[in-house]
Amino acid sequence: MGYELAIGDRSYSSWSLRGWLLFAKGGIAVTTHSGRLYCDDFTRLLSEFAPARLVPALRLPSGRVIGETLAIAETLAERHPEAGLWPDAPEARAVARWLASEMHAGFGALRNHCPMNLRVSYEECAPPAAVLEDLARIEALWAMAQAEFGAEGPWLFGARCSVADIFFAPVAARIAGYNLPVGAAAQAYVSTWLADADFRAWRAEGAEEGPDQPFYKRDWPTRPWPDPLA
């Protein structure tokens, strides 16, 4: 038995996106099991991956279930060092772990005002001051990583996508989806994600999964989804 990953709606579940990207970017095979959020289907999915309480949840080949995306990332990095999920250099790896951990635990204002929605892009979302503060912090972290470790680009730590990048992928989606104000360097990083083949495949699959989730609807004017490859 191989790896099995429980995920929610691809269009909306930011942590599911992170969990799946760990496998996609690491070149690690996985079977996904999905459940639709906010209904009995999601309860059914979690019952199959007990005692995990959230998605993503990973079932190892042994049958052991692992919850929490950071734990999944470290488990895969340990089991598959050839996947290069963390930067090779010790200091770069330490900073990448810092960024992933801060993303895992923080930026609540951005999460609450702009829940990930890969099906729509808004012209304006009236971000409050707390969201702008989160964006400024994110831009500072991205700029630090790229200046000190990412000279080869286009990712935060160079030419290879790392766990830190994966943890910020839904932030890039939020910036695109809600037309959030960021500088040119941050926008270029967002475009890297929007052009990424794995991200695009995930988004395309999500568009086919079913009707829109009412929870994510916002009464703001919309625009076409930004596509750097168009």
Side-chain angles (χ1 to χ4, degrees), residues 20-127:
W20 181 81
L21 281 171
L22 292 169
F23 287 89
K25 293 303 180 189
I28 304 167
V30 65
T31 299
T32 59
H33 303 266
S34 62
R36 187 164 172 81
L37 300 171
Y38 311 115
C39 68
D40 291 343
D41 189 46
F42 191 65
T43 304
R44 181 270 314 162
L45 174 69
L46 288 181
S47 72
E48 296 172 0
F49 282 79
R53 299 173 58 196
L54 301 168
V55 290
L58 174 64
R59 180 176 290 115
L60 303 177
S62 66
R64 171 73 62 185
V65 170
I66 303 296
E68 292 293 339
T69 315
L70 269 178
I72 293 171
E74 291 289 9
T75 298
L76 293 178
E78 182 180 69
R79 286 168 164 252
H80 301 275
E82 76 287 350
L85 289 172
W86 292 112
D88 293 329
E91 286 197 7
R93 190 161 61 249
V95 173
R97 284 184 167 129
W98 164 23
L99 266 60
S101 296
E102 186 162 338
M103 180 66 253
H104 189 275
F107 307 112
L110 175 63
R111 296 176 196 267
N112 291 333
H113 191 71
C114 304
M116 191 182 81
N117 185 347
L118 300 181
R119 295 186 173 197
V120 66
S121 183
Y122 296 102
E123 291 181 4
E124 166 63 29
C125 71

